[in-house]
Amino acid sequence: GGGGMFSIQGSGGGHPVVKTISNYFKIDAYVYLAHSAVVMSSAWGFDLLKQIQFAQIVSKVGRTLWAMTILKHIKQSCIKAVCKDTPTEQERITLYDRLSNILLYFITAALLVDIL
């Protein structure tokens, strides 16, 4: 059976919860690599990455994009729950989905501009 976005047993599309957690930990791996780059560059006498707080930027940007992806999936589930999935309603679902994506992208862009 299905079970939705937060179920451990999805329908054919993998395991959404496991994938979500996995993606979060991938961000941690990138942050670790960024921190390692900062330490190595400082050891070589280049303090620019340390001065701009490169590892913190990678962390904030990664987590912001991760959260946007989660919100996008939740939004799609909500739209599908409210609208009937019939051929006549499909255009409305697509319109709501695209308009809400635009809003979500603008909010994410504003957050990223603030971070950077």
Side-chain angles (χ1 to χ4, degrees), residues 20-89:
T20 299
I21 294 169
S22 172
N23 287 339
Y24 188 82
F25 286 120
K26 285 178 186 175
I27 295 167
D28 284 342
Y30 290 123
V31 172
Y32 179 76
L33 288 173
H35 182 70
S36 298
V38 170
V39 170
M40 287 189 305
S41 68
S42 292
W44 293 329
F46 300 105
D47 286 332
L48 179 64
L49 294 180
K50 186 175 184 179
Q51 290 172 356
I52 64 169
Q53 299 181 334
F54 182 67
Q56 290 86 349
I57 290 171
V58 169
S59 175
K60 289 178 183 180
V61 168
R63 293 183 201 307
T64 300
L65 295 174
W66 176 82
M68 188 229 17
T69 303
I70 298 300
L71 289 173
K72 187 175 175 183
H73 289 293
I74 292 170
K75 172 206 48 104
Q76 288 170 338
S77 297
C78 291
I79 289 172
K80 288 179 181 177
V82 172
C83 298
K84 295 179 181 135
D85 195 12
T86 62
T88 57
E89 289 289 313

